[in-house]
Amino acid sequence: MNGHLRAGVLVLAALAATACGRDPASRSNATATSPSIVTPMTPRLIVVVDGVTGAPVAGVRVHLAATSDLTDRAGKVSMPMPCAQATFVAAGFLERQVRCLLTTTGNGSLPVTLWPIAGDAEREALRQTAFPSGRLTLNSNFLPFYLSADVAAQDGAVAAWAGAAATVFAATRGRWQPHVLAHPSRPDPGDDAFLIDLSTGAPCAKPSTNWSAGRACYEPGPGYFQTTLRIPAGLVGRPDMALRALLYEIGLGLHSEPGLMNAAQPASELSPFERNTLAMIGLRAAITWPDSEP
């Protein structure tokens, strides 16, 4: 007997059982074993954690519809769940606004991550580097970087750029995945690509796009969706230069706090502030400043 025929027989048998009056017991049994229905106003458990460390955050003020409450030592609070804007406020973190809390974990709790920030100066630096336009948007996690043959021929250049790509991938928890391609043929004009080439000594096509932090020139590429970053030969093989260029090309702006992306005196490696920023970017997709769903 095929599957469709067997299913039809079972349905007919069930109807026959109902007709013979045997369904009340079966209905009673089904009612006893069916899962309870959770309405939008059923209290649900919210768990608030530090987005970088995963540690619970106590004392978070949660505003949801007409309700307001604080998280306990375990970062937990139980509140009704209307599909309304929820606001989370805690010292040491960006205020977060979530449009509708519906996503749950396997145990039925609602996880909420907060973006840690240390003081007003770091807050402003974050706005400068991650939200230069007031909005953080990750359009793609696959980003091709083409090294010209001249760049690839420089000592350590290929290793430096491959290492920088691996650092970005790890720091953003796999959200951003730069792919470094050496000795490439030129991509098609329609490709969304970044071309890394050596400086020619000529001024940038648009002086306003000069990248002072790396003494590199950022200018339009040969295709509509392409960009060229020209770097002096003496810098193109430096790991810090490659990482700074990748972050800048991906969309991070320069900032005023110590770190690799400092506008005036860039460090040689990522600062804790920058690592935290990249880790949180890995958790966010499209948000507006400071940490709000559009």
Side-chain angles (χ1 to χ4, degrees):
M1 183 182 296
N2 64 41
H4 293 294
L5 182 58
R6 185 183 298 111
V9 170
L10 291 175
V11 170
L12 291 175
L15 292 174
T18 300
C20 293
R22 294 202 301 266
D23 64 310
S26 62
R27 282 205 307 271
S28 174
N29 183 60
T31 302
T33 59
S34 63
S36 60
I37 297 175
V38 178
T39 68
M41 293 303 291
T42 302
R44 299 290 298 281
L45 181 65
I46 301 173
V47 182
V48 184
V49 300
D50 183 312
V52 173
T53 66
V57 183
V60 180
R61 174 62 65 181
V62 183
H63 302 277
L64 181 58
T67 308
S68 178
D69 206 347
L70 292 171
T71 59
D72 62 17
R73 291 182 180 180
K76 299 177 180 179
V77 64
S78 183
M79 300 185 74
M81 286 291 111
C83 186
Q85 179 172 285
T87 302
F88 300 81
V89 182
F93 296 88
L94 292 180
E95 177 180 304
R96 185 175 187 192
Q97 294 182 345
V98 182
R99 205 170 36 207
C100 188
L101 288 171
L102 292 179
T103 304
T104 64
T105 61
N107 61 9
S109 63
L110 293 157
V112 175
T113 57
L114 296 187
W115 194 314
I117 204 73
D120 292 340
E122 196 167 283
R123 177 186 173 91
E124 175 59 20
L126 176 62
R127 188 192 64 78
Q128 294 169 355
T129 192
F131 298 85
S133 66
R135 182 182 175 90
L136 171 67
T137 303
L138 305 181
N139 294 319
S140 173
N141 68 345
F142 181 86
L143 300 166
F145 288 80
Y146 292 89
L147 304 186
S148 72
D150 290 337
V151 168
Q154 303 296 311
D155 289 342
V158 174
W161 285 80
T167 297
V168 172
F169 181 78
T172 60
R173 314 179 198 209
R175 168 72 73 172
W176 280 344
Q177 188 175 8
H179 286 260
V180 175
L181 307 172
H183 297 291
S185 58
R186 287 284 180 176
D188 292 333
D191 286 353
D192 185 3
F194 298 102
L195 311 178
I196 312 302
D197 211 342
L198 296 182
S199 296
T200 61
C204 288
K206 294 183 179 180
S208 62
T209 61
N210 281 352
W211 186 29
S212 60
R215 299 198 297 278
C217 181
Y218 180 79
E219 61 185 30
Y224 184 78
F225 295 104
Q226 296 174 10
T227 301
T228 296
L229 188 65
R230 298 191 179 278
I231 305 176
L235 297 176
V236 76
R238 282 175 39 178
D240 62 319
M241 179 65 196
L243 180 55
R244 193 178 298 118
L246 258 61
L247 293 177
Y248 187 79
E249 289 278 1
I250 282 171
L252 290 188
L254 307 179
H255 59 74
S256 53
E257 284 290 279
L260 189 77
M261 299 296 286
N262 178 273
Q265 296 180 321
S268 60
E269 58 184 20
L270 292 169
S271 66
F273 158 68
E274 291 169 331
R275 288 192 177 276
N276 286 352
T277 298
L278 292 172
M280 288 305 303
I281 285 174
L283 295 178
R284 303 291 189 255
I287 57 175
T288 58
W289 175 255
D291 189 4
S292 306
E293 292 185 357

